[in-house]
Amino acid sequence: MRIIVAGHTAVTPDEFVELALGTPLDLWLGTEGESEMERAARMDAARDILAEEPDLPDRVSQVAAQAIEAYAPDLFRPVPLAARRRTRSSGEAAA
């Protein structure tokens, strides 16, 4: 299945997220072994992006929900909890 976002073909799930958000995932997640200076620079860049695009967290949530719905729809199907009757210490059933 081909996924096209903004005219670009996403080959991997990471590419899909990057195209949908317009930023690389490493900016938000960091990379293994990054130095404190690299982390500080990454965090500064992330703050700048969030300042310029305050709706980005909402877009991220929307992309995540759409991905879950498309690739793991069972996560959106609530399972009713079994009804349990709790009893009081005197043995009466709770209302």
Side-chain angles (χ1 to χ4, degrees), residues 11-12 23 41 46 64 66 75 83 94:
V11 178
T12 66
T23 62
Q66 289 171 345
L75 295 177

Side-chain angles (χ1 to χ4, degrees), residues 46-95:
R47 274 190 287 278
D48 290 345
I49 289 171
L50 289 173
E52 291 174 13
E53 298 187 47
D55 67 326
L56 185 61
D58 292 336
R59 287 188 7 232
V60 170
S61 298
Q62 185 179 22
V63 167
Q66 289 171 345
I68 291 168
E69 191 173 44
Y71 297 105
D74 290 340
L75 295 177
F76 275 137
R77 292 194 185 113
V79 177
L81 297 175
R84 295 189 325 187
R85 290 194 123 197
R86 293 175 53 166
T87 59
R88 296 183 182 153
S89 60
S90 65
E92 299 174 35

Side-chain angles (χ1 to χ4, degrees), residues 13-76:
D14 286 355
E15 287 178 359
F16 169 76
V17 172
E18 288 180 9
L19 288 169
L21 299 178
T23 62
L25 287 176
D26 289 347
L27 174 68
W28 307 105
L29 303 177
T31 58
E32 190 174 332
E34 73 182 356
S35 69
E36 283 300 314
M37 186 189 289
E38 291 169 327
R39 182 179 187 281
R42 180 176 57 79
M43 298 299 283
D44 285 343
R47 274 190 287 278
D48 290 345
I49 289 171
L50 289 173
E52 291 174 13
E53 298 187 47
D55 67 326
L56 185 61
D58 292 336
R59 287 188 7 232
V60 170
S61 298
Q62 185 179 22
V63 167
Q66 289 171 345
I68 291 168
E69 191 173 44
Y71 297 105
D74 290 340
L75 295 177
F76 275 137

